[in-house]
PDB file of all heavy atoms in Angstrom:
ATOM      1  N   GLY A 345      -9.063  18.262 -12.242  1.00 68.00           N
ATOM      2  CA  GLY A 345      -8.013  18.547 -11.183  1.00 68.00           C
ATOM      3  C   GLY A 345      -8.337  17.865  -9.819  1.00 68.00           C
ATOM      4  O   GLY A 345      -7.583  18.057  -8.938  1.00 68.00           O
ATOM      5  N   GLU A 346      -9.534  17.130  -9.827  1.00 78.00           N
ATOM      6  CA  GLU A 346     -10.020  16.788  -8.481  1.00 78.00           C
ATOM      7  C   GLU A 346      -9.756  15.215  -8.475  1.00 78.00           C
ATOM      8  O   GLU A 346      -9.960  14.604  -9.650  1.00 78.00           O
ATOM      9  CB  GLU A 346     -11.545  16.957  -8.325  1.00 78.00           C
ATOM     10  CG  GLU A 346     -12.038  16.682  -6.901  1.00 78.00           C
ATOM     11  CD  GLU A 346     -13.402  17.137  -6.711  1.00 78.00           C
ATOM     12  OE1 GLU A 346     -13.665  18.258  -7.187  1.00 78.00           O
ATOM     13  OE2 GLU A 346     -14.163  16.388  -6.251  1.00 78.00           O
ATOM     14  N   MET A 347      -9.347  14.576  -7.441  1.00 87.00           N
ATOM     15  CA  MET A 347      -9.145  13.030  -7.348  1.00 87.00           C
ATOM     16  C   MET A 347     -10.535  12.504  -7.042  1.00 87.00           C
ATOM     17  O   MET A 347     -11.161  12.759  -6.134  1.00 87.00           O
ATOM     18  CB  MET A 347      -8.240  12.772  -6.423  1.00 87.00           C
ATOM     19  CG  MET A 347      -7.671  11.354  -6.461  1.00 87.00           C
ATOM     20  SD  MET A 347      -6.406  10.915  -5.441  1.00 87.00           S
ATOM     21  CE  MET A 347      -5.043  11.897  -6.060  1.00 87.00           C
ATOM     22  N   TYR A 348     -10.962  11.539  -7.950  1.00 89.00           N
ATOM     23  CA  TYR A 348     -12.244  10.860  -7.793  1.00 89.00           C
ATOM     24  C   TYR A 348     -12.128   9.564  -8.509  1.00 89.00           C
ATOM     25  O   TYR A 348     -11.354   9.319  -9.427  1.00 89.00           O
ATOM     26  CB  TYR A 348     -13.420  11.585  -8.423  1.00 89.00           C
ATOM     27  CG  TYR A 348     -13.298  11.823  -9.941  1.00 89.00           C
ATOM     28  CD1 TYR A 348     -13.888  10.894 -10.846  1.00 89.00           C
ATOM     29  CD2 TYR A 348     -12.530  12.825 -10.479  1.00 89.00           C
ATOM     30  CE1 TYR A 348     -13.876  10.990 -12.101  1.00 89.00           C
ATOM     31  CE2 TYR A 348     -12.496  12.921 -11.880  1.00 89.00           C
ATOM     32  CZ  TYR A 348     -13.125  12.133 -12.700  1.00 89.00           C
ATOM     33  OH  TYR A 348     -13.020  12.192 -13.953  1.00 89.00           O
ATOM     34  N   LEU A 349     -12.978   8.581  -8.158  1.00 92.00           N
ATOM     35  CA  LEU A 349     -13.095   7.177  -8.765  1.00 92.00           C
ATOM     36  C   LEU A 349     -14.391   7.245  -9.411  1.00 92.00           C
ATOM     37  O   LEU A 349     -15.487   7.369  -8.812  1.00 92.00           O
ATOM     38  CB  LEU A 349     -13.196   6.144  -7.628  1.00 92.00           C
ATOM     39  CG  LEU A 349     -11.803   5.677  -6.984  1.00 92.00           C
ATOM     40  CD1 LEU A 349     -12.031   4.823  -5.817  1.00 92.00           C
ATOM     41  CD2 LEU A 349     -11.056   4.921  -8.119  1.00 92.00           C
ATOM     42  N   GLY A 350     -14.451   7.175 -10.682  1.00 90.00           N
ATOM     43  CA  GLY A 350     -15.540   7.168 -11.492  1.00 90.00           C
ATOM     44  C   GLY A 350     -15.997   5.589 -11.699  1.00 90.00           C
ATOM     45  O   GLY A 350     -15.497   4.700 -11.142  1.00 90.00           O
ATOM     46  N   LYS A 351     -17.159   5.534 -12.326  1.00 92.00           N
ATOM     47  CA  LYS A 351     -17.807   4.149 -12.515  1.00 92.00           C
ATOM     48  C   LYS A 351     -16.900   3.290 -13.255  1.00 92.00           C
ATOM     49  O   LYS A 351     -16.709   2.092 -12.880  1.00 92.00           O
ATOM     50  CB  LYS A 351     -19.125   4.304 -13.259  1.00 92.00           C
ATOM     51  CG  LYS A 351     -20.215   4.949 -12.461  1.00 92.00           C
ATOM     52  CD  LYS A 351     -21.561   4.891 -13.310  1.00 92.00           C
ATOM     53  CE  LYS A 351     -22.640   5.641 -12.530  1.00 92.00           C
ATOM     54  NZ  LYS A 351     -23.816   5.795 -13.290  1.00 92.00           N
ATOM     55  N   SER A 352     -16.167   3.748 -14.295  1.00 93.00           N
ATOM     56  CA  SER A 352     -15.259   2.844 -15.129  1.00 93.00           C
ATOM     57  C   SER A 352     -14.046   2.448 -14.265  1.00 93.00           C
ATOM     58  O   SER A 352     -13.507   1.310 -14.240  1.00 93.00           O
ATOM     59  CB  SER A 352     -14.823   3.533 -16.306  1.00 93.00           C
ATOM     60  OG  SER A 352     -14.098   4.712 -16.026  1.00 93.00           O
ATOM     61  N   ASP A 353     -13.627   3.404 -13.283  1.00 94.00           N
ATOM     62  CA  ASP A 353     -12.507   2.969 -12.440  1.00 94.00           C
ATOM     63  C   ASP A 353     -12.891   1.865 -11.435  1.00 94.00           C
ATOM     64  O   ASP A 353     -12.211   0.926 -11.280  1.00 94.00           O
ATOM     65  CB  ASP A 353     -12.043   4.213 -11.619  1.00 94.00           C
ATOM     66  CG  ASP A 353     -11.638   5.292 -12.532  1.00 94.00           C
ATOM     67  OD1 ASP A 353     -11.055   5.126 -13.592  1.00 94.00           O
ATOM     68  OD2 ASP A 353     -11.972   6.515 -12.029  1.00 94.00           O
ATOM     69  N   LEU A 354     -14.145   2.026 -10.903  1.00 94.00           N
ATOM     70  CA  LEU A 354     -14.655   1.048  -9.978  1.00 94.00           C
ATOM     71  C   LEU A 354     -14.858  -0.232 -10.617  1.00 94.00           C
ATOM     72  O   LEU A 354     -14.580  -1.393 -10.053  1.00 94.00           O
ATOM     73  CB  LEU A 354     -15.970   1.577  -9.270  1.00 94.00           C
ATOM     74  CG  LEU A 354     -15.831   2.801  -8.408  1.00 94.00           C
ATOM     75  CD1 LEU A 354     -17.165   3.272  -8.095  1.00 94.00           C
ATOM     76  CD2 LEU A 354     -14.979   2.410  -7.162  1.00 94.00           C
ATOM     77  N   ARG A 355     -15.343  -0.290 -11.980  1.00 94.00           N
ATOM     78  CA  ARG A 355     -15.540  -1.481 -12.676  1.00 94.00           C
ATOM     79  C   ARG A 355     -14.220  -2.172 -12.873  1.00 94.00           C
ATOM     80  O   ARG A 355     -14.129  -3.297 -12.743  1.00 94.00           O
ATOM     81  CB  ARG A 355     -16.206  -1.144 -13.946  1.00 94.00           C
ATOM     82  CG  ARG A 355     -16.790  -2.388 -14.697  1.00 94.00           C
ATOM     83  CD  ARG A 355     -17.569  -2.045 -16.040  1.00 94.00           C
ATOM     84  NE  ARG A 355     -18.524  -1.002 -15.734  1.00 94.00           N
ATOM     85  CZ  ARG A 355     -18.541   0.239 -16.195  1.00 94.00           C
ATOM     86  NH1 ARG A 355     -17.609   0.638 -17.052  1.00 94.00           N
ATOM     87  NH2 ARG A 355     -19.371   1.054 -16.004  1.00 94.00           N
ATOM     88  N   ARG A 356     -13.161  -1.449 -13.248  1.00 94.00           N
ATOM     89  CA  ARG A 356     -11.925  -2.034 -13.497  1.00 94.00           C
ATOM     90  C   ARG A 356     -11.323  -2.641 -12.295  1.00 94.00           C
ATOM     91  O   ARG A 356     -10.647  -3.645 -12.267  1.00 94.00           O
ATOM     92  CB  ARG A 356     -10.812  -0.930 -13.892  1.00 94.00           C
ATOM     93  CG  ARG A 356     -10.570  -0.860 -15.355  1.00 94.00           C
ATOM     94  CD  ARG A 356      -9.670   0.326 -15.526  1.00 94.00           C
ATOM     95  NE  ARG A 356      -8.223  -0.088 -15.835  1.00 94.00           N
ATOM     96  CZ  ARG A 356      -7.298   0.734 -16.126  1.00 94.00           C
ATOM     97  NH1 ARG A 356      -7.359   1.885 -16.391  1.00 94.00           N
ATOM     98  NH2 ARG A 356      -6.173   0.073 -16.270  1.00 94.00           N
ATOM     99  N   LEU A 357     -11.588  -2.078 -11.047  1.00 94.00           N
ATOM    100  CA  LEU A 357     -11.147  -2.616  -9.751  1.00 94.00           C
ATOM    101  C   LEU A 357     -11.999  -3.762  -9.221  1.00 94.00           C
ATOM    102  O   LEU A 357     -11.653  -4.328  -8.268  1.00 94.00           O
ATOM    103  CB  LEU A 357     -11.170  -1.410  -8.715  1.00 94.00           C
ATOM    104  CG  LEU A 357     -10.067  -0.352  -9.021  1.00 94.00           C
ATOM    105  CD1 LEU A 357     -10.301   0.861  -8.055  1.00 94.00           C
ATOM    106  CD2 LEU A 357      -8.550  -0.874  -8.761  1.00 94.00           C
ATOM    107  N   GLY A 358     -12.978  -4.074  -9.951  1.00 92.00           N
ATOM    108  CA  GLY A 358     -13.956  -5.141  -9.461  1.00 92.00           C
ATOM    109  C   GLY A 358     -14.855  -4.768  -8.301  1.00 92.00           C
ATOM    110  O   GLY A 358     -15.199  -5.610  -7.548  1.00 92.00           O
ATOM    111  N   LEU A 359     -15.144  -3.380  -8.309  1.00 91.00           N
ATOM    112  CA  LEU A 359     -15.871  -2.978  -7.055  1.00 91.00           C
ATOM    113  C   LEU A 359     -17.262  -2.408  -7.420  1.00 91.00           C
ATOM    114  O   LEU A 359     -17.885  -1.653  -6.798  1.00 91.00           O
ATOM    115  CB  LEU A 359     -15.183  -1.781  -6.301  1.00 91.00           C
ATOM    116  CG  LEU A 359     -13.794  -2.144  -5.888  1.00 91.00           C
ATOM    117  CD1 LEU A 359     -13.060  -0.904  -5.224  1.00 91.00           C
ATOM    118  CD2 LEU A 359     -13.837  -3.213  -4.871  1.00 91.00           C
ATOM    119  N   THR A 360     -17.771  -3.097  -8.544  1.00 88.00           N
ATOM    120  CA  THR A 360     -19.255  -2.739  -8.892  1.00 88.00           C
ATOM    121  C   THR A 360     -19.984  -4.023  -9.003  1.00 88.00           C
ATOM    122  O   THR A 360     -19.541  -5.109  -8.636  1.00 88.00           O
ATOM    123  CB  THR A 360     -19.188  -2.110 -10.309  1.00 88.00           C
ATOM    124  OG1 THR A 360     -18.580  -3.062 -11.308  1.00 88.00           O
ATOM    125  CG2 THR A 360     -18.455  -0.745 -10.366  1.00 88.00           C
ATOM    126  N   GLY A 361     -21.273  -3.835  -9.344  1.00 77.00           N
ATOM    127  CA  GLY A 361     -22.082  -5.046  -9.358  1.00 77.00           C
ATOM    128  C   GLY A 361     -22.978  -5.122  -8.076  1.00 77.00           C
ATOM    129  O   GLY A 361     -22.809  -4.414  -7.170  1.00 77.00           O
ATOM    130  N   GLN A 362     -23.786  -6.089  -8.122  1.00 72.00           N
ATOM    131  CA  GLN A 362     -24.671  -6.347  -7.004  1.00 72.00           C
ATOM    132  C   GLN A 362     -24.007  -7.114  -5.876  1.00 72.00           C
ATOM    133  O   GLN A 362     -23.180  -7.869  -6.204  1.00 72.00           O
ATOM    134  CB  GLN A 362     -25.918  -7.121  -7.449  1.00 72.00           C
ATOM    135  CG  GLN A 362     -26.768  -6.352  -8.295  1.00 72.00           C
ATOM    136  CD  GLN A 362     -28.059  -7.049  -8.660  1.00 72.00           C
ATOM    137  OE1 GLN A 362     -28.167  -8.177  -8.365  1.00 72.00           O
ATOM    138  NE2 GLN A 362     -28.918  -6.355  -9.364  1.00 72.00           N
ATOM    139  N   ALA A 363     -24.283  -6.773  -4.684  1.00 67.00           N
ATOM    140  CA  ALA A 363     -23.721  -7.558  -3.521  1.00 67.00           C
ATOM    141  C   ALA A 363     -24.836  -8.373  -2.931  1.00 67.00           C
ATOM    142  O   ALA A 363     -25.949  -7.879  -2.835  1.00 67.00           O
ATOM    143  CB  ALA A 363     -23.105  -6.595  -2.529  1.00 67.00           C
ATOM    144  N   LEU A 364     -24.491  -9.562  -2.513  1.00 68.00           N
ATOM    145  CA  LEU A 364     -25.548 -10.384  -1.843  1.00 68.00           C
ATOM    146  C   LEU A 364     -25.023 -10.612  -0.376  1.00 68.00           C
ATOM    147  O   LEU A 364     -23.872 -10.865  -0.085  1.00 68.00           O
ATOM    148  CB  LEU A 364     -25.558 -11.761  -2.524  1.00 68.00           C
ATOM    149  CG  LEU A 364     -26.613 -12.844  -1.907  1.00 68.00           C
ATOM    150  CD1 LEU A 364     -27.883 -12.401  -2.016  1.00 68.00           C
ATOM    151  CD2 LEU A 364     -26.353 -14.092  -2.608  1.00 68.00           C
ATOM    152  N   GLY A 365     -25.921 -10.288   0.481  1.00 65.00           N
ATOM    153  CA  GLY A 365     -25.755 -10.505   1.957  1.00 65.00           C
ATOM    154  C   GLY A 365     -26.875 -11.127   2.566  1.00 65.00           C
ATOM    155  O   GLY A 365     -28.019 -11.221   1.976  1.00 65.00           O
ATOM    156  N   ALA A 366     -26.681 -11.883   3.664  1.00 66.00           N
ATOM    157  CA  ALA A 366     -27.782 -12.556   4.395  1.00 66.00           C
ATOM    158  C   ALA A 366     -27.678 -12.254   5.830  1.00 66.00           C
ATOM    159  O   ALA A 366     -26.636 -12.125   6.504  1.00 66.00           O
ATOM    160  CB  ALA A 366     -27.491 -14.055   4.154  1.00 66.00           C
TER     161      ALA A 366
END
Side-chain angles (χ1 to χ4, degrees):
E346 190 174 316
M347 192 174 290
Y348 65 94
L349 279 167
K351 288 180 184 178
S352 62
D353 303 324
L354 293 170
R355 194 173 311 115
R356 260 178 101 174
L357 293 168
L359 301 178
T360 60
Q362 295 181 352
L364 178 63

